[in-house]
Amino acid sequence: MIVFLSLLGGAFHAVLRETLLKNFQDLGTALAKSYAWEENNNLTVYETLLTFGTQSINVRLEQGQSPQEIESWLGMYYEQLQSVLGENTVDPYAVFQGQILAANPWEGDSTYDFSQTEWYQQAMAADGDVVFTDVYIDSIYEKPVVTIAQKCQSVDAVLAFDIFPENLRIYSGALSLPEKSSFYLCDRTGILIYEQSDLKTSEEELQGYLHKILAGIEDGSLAGYDAHITDLSGEDRGVYYYNMSNGWIAIITAPFDTILAKSDQFSLLFGLVMLLSVAGIFLVAWRDLRLYSQVERTNETVRVLGNTYYALYRVDYQNETYEMIKGSDYIRSRLPYTGPYGDLLQTAGEVLEKRTYEEFQASFSPASIRNLVAKRVRDYGGDFLRRFGDEYRWVNVRILFDESLSPDEVVLCFREVEQEKQQQLRERKLLEDALENARRSEKTKEAFFNNMSHDMRTPLNAILGLSELVRQHSDEPEKVNGYMEKVYYSSRQLLDLVNDILDMSRMEQGKVILNNQSFDLRQCIQECAASFYLQAEAEQKQFQVEFDLHNSTVLGDAFRIGQIINNLLSNAFKFTSEGDRVSVFVRQFEEKNCSQFQIIVQDTGIGMSEEFLPQLFEPYSRETTFSSKRVSGTGLGMSIVKNLVTQMSGQIHVDSKLGEGTTFTITVPFTMVRTEKEETCLEPVENRETEKKNESPFSLEGKKVLLAEDNMVNMEIATEILSMHGLEVVQAWNGQEALEQFKASKPFEFDAILMDMQMPVMDGCESARNIRGLSRPDAKIVPILAVTANAFAEDISATTAAGMDAHISKPIDFNILCHTLERLVGKKEQAK
């Protein structure tokens, strides 16, 4: 009996040892694969955020943004990454135009040779694919780091993330390592990225230990279920591993003592059985039960891995059959545990969202599976909406292929991912919203500061130039006085600009509010050009200003005219060299009702290419033709000039050729301001002369006007000034009230109507149309004047279409208003 038991016990011990080692090899390999998958999910998050950032940089660079703007955006992007990933998880930076743009700048960025780095070379070679480096020592923090990088699609720019290995830690609530086991994650060269182990050793000893493990994996000596390696403490360990798609390898080691602990206990008990045969028989039976329990526990551990999925099927894609390992309630109630694979596909597809049914059938058909296996695709699938009762929830469907399965077999598995998917969608939406808000905020801020910078350059240039002249002519009081007067003028201009910053912040697409006042066009252009004479002398360039004007006193915005001239002259001096010529010529053309003024700014500089001319007036555009002269600027100047000229109802034309210079021709209509009787140019001169001869002196004294204005302050000012001129004023606070007041009046009681355009209840244009449509003798001839802040060409056209006789812009020049009233009321008196 003892011999029999010895033989039986020895055989059982060998079988048990083999079973335990094989089971643990399956378990260890499955654990390594699961840890590798989880790490791959972590890397996918970084890849997704990197790709999003690369696309954003690509769009910004295509829009012409500067490195400084990209670096500013990186700072905001870094803050968004921290809100998603946590503090100091990644360190983003970009390479563009030979320099490093970093969210966290480093003093050595300007001299660091990034072109020799592994991550830069790999990213450029990958041409748009995400690349991972092996572990290396970072130059900034002098600690191990992994870099992922990606090249932009349409520009030579690279975005990279530095990730410290400790941030690649795996947090798995469902999986845990067996007792005394260790987990190691290594890069392609075998360098340790992350470890989870109780072993206490130095980094050098641990790295040498890992190199021995990797060598055994590579030569196959650790492939057997009973293969082992001796660790640094002299303990034999089994090695289980999984190769990730990016070349990294996940390794799990477990002590043989732990794996075979039950086997060793069996050996001890079997010795007692040899001494006590009868007792030994009972002990062996008891031991068998214990061993069965342990094997069952091992199998339970493997089943835990499968419980991640609510349905598992083994599919024979050659014979097109399935075997149900674990099925959902819906499938079990309709299909047997084995059968044709087509029935399984059709039944599973019945509960999927209708829009994805055909895609599901095509993606997981036998033909598709055979194609995936032929290409060695080990993991394939996607997310679909599946019906659970009366609601749809997200599920993940996957085809898993591995050589350890039977030939021609794969695993089809289903896992519910509703919470993860909804969280992912919410985080993505939050990130997109945050980035969009940041993009809009950045665009608004940049437009405001760039425009303000251009506007401030005009008076600053004059102050600096005139200050230099004062220093050079300090012994000539008359000249100094003249210079100081111009300095004072420019300083006041700069002060006005600062006071108008809030108004400038509301600029949209270059639109501004013009402040039309009487000014001397000749003097305005001379004062603006004066600051450039010193620059011309210092740069040895020819500069001249000529005029051909009959009357230089006009009604317009002198500040904006100065801004236009300053932008054009600044560009002319930028793009000319020593000995070149810059000139300004201003001339006047008399027309029927008003004068057209033409301003020509010409230079003999480098010129522009024909391809660039159509883009000249677009914001941020800049000529990219090669030149020996490096020119600074934001590219907004010509866009501002174009918008200002358009607001003045003018036109701008440019002629330019490379190497031959550039000519800008601006044609702007201005209302003439006559000095004799403050007449406007709205009426031909010959008509006015005839009226002077035939009419007796006309006075507004005693005339009665209807004033429609919804603003209390404007109503008070207008009423007071009109009353000072002898007019009787009847007030109306909206267009409807003005209409009712006119209806209630006697015919010809009102000599004129002053009408604001934008009023509550009824606007000015509608009120004017209703008045003109009344059936009373004075409705068609009573003068109606639009007195409004709406001063654009389309506004004037709208008032004319509504039947109004004239348009007076706010702020009101009351001299022009009174003389216009005299002219129109006088005509009405003649028509009665």
Side-chain angles (χ1 to χ4, degrees):
M1 182 181 293
I2 293 175
V3 172
F4 174 74
L5 290 175
S6 298
L7 294 175
L8 181 62
F12 190 85
H13 180 270
V15 172
L16 176 61
R17 184 178 186 278
E18 179 180 352
T19 301
L20 289 174
L21 290 176
K22 285 184 176 180
N23 285 345
F24 202 89
Q25 184 184 38
D26 293 339
L27 174 62
T29 302
L31 282 172
K33 183 183 296 186
S34 297
Y35 272 68
W37 285 351
E38 184 144 348
E39 183 57 45
N40 191 65
N41 289 338
N42 290 344
L43 296 178
T44 300
V45 173
Y46 293 112
E47 289 184 30
T48 301
L49 294 173
L50 177 69
T51 300
F52 182 82
T54 304
Q55 293 173 353
S56 297
I57 290 178
N58 196 81
V59 171
R60 292 171 178 277
L61 292 177
E62 286 180 347
Q63 292 175 350
Q65 292 194 1
S66 66
Q68 292 76 17
E69 294 171 319
I70 297 299
E71 191 166 41
S72 175
W73 174 85
L74 273 173
M76 292 185 289
Y77 182 52
Y78 176 56
E79 293 178 2
Q80 296 299 325
L81 290 176
Q82 290 193 108
S83 67
V84 175
L85 300 175
E87 295 289 336
N88 302 319
T89 302
V90 298
D91 184 11
Y93 52 91
V95 172
F96 175 59
Q97 292 185 351
Q99 60 179 313
I100 296 179
L101 310 175
N104 295 313
W106 172 51
E107 292 181 358
D109 282 344
S110 59
T111 58
Y112 183 67
D113 187 6
F114 59 83
S115 64
Q116 300 301 316
T117 60
E118 179 184 0
W119 58 266
Y120 182 77
Q121 294 177 354
Q122 287 184 2
M124 295 301 290
D127 194 24
D129 292 335
V130 176
V131 299
F132 288 81
T133 68
D134 296 322
V135 177
Y136 65 95
I137 301 301
D138 182 62
S139 300
I140 301 176
Y141 302 101
E142 297 183 353
K143 57 189 292 189
V145 69
V146 173
T147 298
I148 65 173
Q150 186 179 28
K151 177 182 175 294
C152 295
Q153 289 292 333
S154 59
V155 294
D156 287 336
V158 175
L159 178 64
F161 289 173
D162 280 349
I163 309 173
F164 299 111
E166 57 266 24
N167 293 324
L168 296 173
R169 183 180 300 274
I170 297 175
Y171 302 95
S172 178
L175 302 174
S176 60
L177 291 174
E179 183 181 1
K180 297 183 180 180
S181 297
S182 301
F183 171 72
Y184 306 100
L185 180 64
C186 300
D187 65 15
R188 290 169 294 190
T189 63
I191 300 301
L192 179 65
I193 298 175
Y194 163 68
E195 67 165 314
Q196 184 178 334
S197 174
D198 295 332
L199 294 177
K200 306 299 182 183
T201 182
S202 66
E203 292 185 5
E204 294 182 358
E205 291 177 332
L206 179 58
Q207 193 63 61
Y209 171 57
L210 288 175
H211 282 312
K212 289 174 60 179
I213 293 177
L214 292 170
I217 292 174
E218 185 175 355
D219 60 25
S221 61
L222 294 177
Y225 70 89
D226 57 349
H228 64 274
I229 191 169
T230 303
D231 65 16
L232 298 174
S233 62
E235 190 174 21
D236 291 339
R237 286 177 171 266
V239 178
Y240 316 99
Y241 59 93
Y242 182 77
N243 291 302
M244 296 173 62
S245 59
N246 64 350
W248 294 1
I249 184 169
I251 302 172
I252 290 178
T253 67
F256 265 23
D257 289 345
T258 302
I259 301 173
L260 301 176
K262 307 305 178 184
S263 177
D264 294 340
Q265 293 176 16
F266 173 79
S267 298
L268 179 62
L269 292 174
F270 185 75
L272 296 176
V273 172
M274 295 292 292
L275 299 175
L276 303 170
S277 57
V278 176
I281 293 175
F282 289 102
L283 290 175
V284 169
W286 175 75
R287 183 62 176 173
D288 286 345
L289 293 175
R290 288 287 307 274
L291 288 174
Y292 178 80
S293 176
Q294 293 300 321
V295 171
E296 183 62 24
R297 285 178 61 82
T298 301
N299 291 333
E300 286 176 356
T301 304
V302 176
R303 285 196 294 270
V304 166
L305 299 176
N307 286 340
T308 306
Y309 300 91
Y310 69 79
L312 291 166
Y313 307 91
R314 295 188 69 157
V315 177
D316 187 329
Y317 55 85
Q318 293 296 354
N319 296 321
E320 299 188 8
T321 61
Y322 74 89
E323 177 186 352
M324 187 187 304
I325 306 300
K326 179 182 180 182
S328 65
D329 295 339
Y330 183 85
I331 296 297
R332 288 200 307 269
S333 65
R334 286 163 175 77
L335 294 178
Y337 280 87
T338 60
Y341 179 58
D343 294 347
L344 176 63
L345 275 183
Q346 182 177 355
T347 305
E350 291 173 356
V351 291
L352 293 181
E353 188 183 28
K354 293 182 179 180
R355 293 179 299 175
T356 60
Y357 176 76
E358 294 183 0
E359 181 183 357
F360 172 79
Q361 292 282 345
S363 298
F364 299 97
S365 66
S368 176
I369 296 175
R370 284 191 286 270
N371 183 51
L372 292 171
V373 173
K375 295 180 179 180
R376 315 301 292 175
V377 178
R378 299 180 179 273
D379 188 348
Y380 173 82
D383 296 337
F384 300 90
L385 282 170
R386 181 197 188 276
R387 189 176 69 251
F388 291 87
D390 296 331
E391 65 174 349
Y392 279 92
R393 297 199 295 268
W394 285 98
V395 298
N396 182 262
V397 188
R398 309 209 71 77
I399 286 289
L400 304 179
F401 164 72
D402 193 90
E403 288 82 356
S404 60
L405 295 171
S406 299
D408 303 331
E409 281 194 348
V410 295
V411 174
L412 175 65
C413 49
F414 296 78
R415 180 167 68 96
E416 185 178 341
V417 291
E418 175 68 16
Q419 293 183 353
E420 299 95 314
K421 191 71 174 181
Q422 293 299 335
Q423 179 68 18
Q424 178 185 357
L425 293 174
R426 285 193 296 269
E427 291 177 353
R428 180 176 179 179
K429 183 66 168 59
L430 288 173
L431 183 58
E432 289 177 349
D433 290 345
L435 291 176
E436 180 62 25
N437 290 334
R439 191 179 296 114
R440 287 196 299 266
S441 176
E442 179 186 9
K443 183 177 180 181
T444 302
K445 181 178 67 177
E446 288 176 356
F448 169 71
F449 282 109
N450 283 327
N451 290 336
M452 185 179 67
S453 173
H454 275 73
D455 291 345
M456 294 181 72
R457 195 174 292 120
T458 300
L460 283 175
N461 186 67
I463 293 171
L464 291 174
L466 292 167
S467 298
E468 179 64 23
L469 288 175
V470 170
R471 291 175 55 192
Q472 294 179 6
H473 300 278
S474 59
D475 56 345
E476 301 178 63
E478 292 184 2
K479 285 189 175 182
V480 169
N481 289 336
Y483 296 149
M484 291 307 298
E485 288 180 3
K486 293 174 181 177
V487 168
Y488 176 77
Y489 167 81
S490 298
S491 301
R492 292 296 305 178
Q493 188 180 22
L494 183 59
L495 177 61
D496 292 340
L497 177 60
V498 173
N499 291 333
D500 288 342
I501 286 178
L502 288 178
D503 180 53
M504 295 292 291
S505 67
R506 294 190 292 269
M507 293 177 63
E508 293 183 4
Q509 301 177 351
K511 293 183 179 180
V512 295
I513 298 175
L514 298 178
N515 182 21
N516 292 320
Q517 296 181 351
S518 175
F519 75 99
D520 190 316
L521 179 62
R522 181 194 302 270
Q523 181 182 353
C524 173
I525 294 178
Q526 285 176 336
E527 289 175 347
C528 183
S531 60
F532 289 93
Y533 281 105
L534 182 61
Q535 182 178 350
E537 183 179 351
E539 297 176 0
Q540 298 185 18
K541 300 174 183 177
Q542 302 177 40
F543 180 48
Q544 61 181 8
V545 180
E546 297 181 4
F547 296 91
D548 181 12
L549 302 176
H550 309 304
N551 189 338
S552 61
T553 303
V554 297
L555 187 65
D557 192 328
F559 174 77
R560 299 303 178 188
I561 291 295
Q563 185 179 359
I564 293 171
I565 299 300
N566 183 76
N567 272 306
L568 294 179
L569 287 178
S570 295
N571 281 344
F573 276 89
K574 282 181 184 178
F575 296 102
T576 51
S577 303
E578 181 179 332
D580 282 337
R581 184 178 69 257
V582 179
S583 63
V584 179
F585 180 57
V586 185
R587 59 185 173 186
Q588 178 180 359
F589 299 97
E590 289 288 352
E591 294 189 356
K592 183 177 180 181
N593 293 323
C594 60
S595 285
Q596 296 279 348
F597 289 81
Q598 196 171 78
I599 304 172
I600 302 172
V601 178
Q602 186 177 35
D603 67 72
T604 58
I606 63 175
M608 292 174 283
S609 63
E610 293 183 4
E611 295 79 7
F612 177 70
L613 287 179
Q615 310 169 24
L616 175 62
F617 297 112
E618 295 179 4
Y620 311 107
S621 296
R622 184 179 297 169
E623 171 67 281
T624 57
T625 305
F626 291 109
S627 170
S628 61
K629 189 173 183 180
R630 181 178 178 87
V631 178
S632 61
T634 62
L636 286 171
M638 296 314 302
S639 175
I640 293 173
V641 169
K642 172 68 173 177
N643 285 328
L644 289 175
V645 172
T646 302
Q647 289 293 326
M648 295 177 182
S649 301
Q651 295 180 339
I652 183 170
H653 177 73
V654 57
D655 291 311
S656 184
K657 289 185 178 180
L658 283 176
E660 298 182 11
T662 302
T663 301
F664 286 95
T665 303
I666 298 174
T667 305
V668 182
F670 280 126
T671 299
M672 301 298 302
V673 178
R674 306 293 181 179
T675 57
E676 292 183 4
K677 199 177 179 180
E678 298 298 325
E679 295 176 339
T680 65
C681 63
L682 299 175
E683 191 174 3
V685 175
E686 59 270 18
N687 291 348
R688 293 198 300 271
E689 293 299 327
T690 302
E691 289 177 2
K692 288 180 183 180
K693 295 178 181 179
N694 298 334
E695 294 180 1
S696 58
F698 183 83
S699 173
L700 293 174
E701 187 76 26
K703 302 298 182 181
K704 187 175 184 179
V705 296
L706 175 61
L707 175 60
E709 171 64 65
D710 64 319
N711 183 277
M712 183 180 298
V713 176
N714 290 343
M715 176 70 85
E716 181 179 355
I717 294 173
T719 301
E720 182 69 22
I721 293 178
L722 291 172
S723 299
M724 290 171 57
H725 285 75
L727 290 162
E728 180 184 351
V729 180
V730 176
Q731 297 179 343
W733 295 95
N734 56 62
Q736 180 65 42
E737 187 175 336
L739 176 62
E740 297 302 326
Q741 292 266 25
F742 186 80
K743 285 182 178 179
S745 68
K746 299 177 181 180
F748 302 103
E749 179 178 345
F750 288 112
D751 295 287
I753 301 174
L754 306 182
M755 187 80 72
D756 188 17
M757 285 185 67
Q758 294 185 353
M759 292 183 293
V761 184
M762 180 185 292
D763 63 42
C765 288
E766 185 178 355
S767 179
R769 280 193 293 269
N770 288 329
I771 290 174
R772 292 301 189 205
L774 295 175
S775 57
R776 48 186 286 171
D778 58 344
K780 297 291 190 296
I781 64 173
V782 61
I784 304 178
L785 284 74
V787 182
T788 175
N790 297 30
F792 297 116
E794 57 268 26
D795 301 317
I796 299 174
S797 176
T799 59
T800 302
M804 299 190 191
D805 299 287
H807 184 282
I808 305 296
S809 299
K810 293 180 180 178
I812 302 171
D813 186 326
F814 282 95
N815 287 327
I816 294 178
L817 173 61
C818 290
H819 289 298
T820 304
L821 279 174
E822 288 183 356
R823 178 171 57 84
L824 294 176
V825 172
K827 286 185 177 180
K828 187 201 75 168
E829 295 290 339
Q830 294 178 1
K832 285 177 23 176

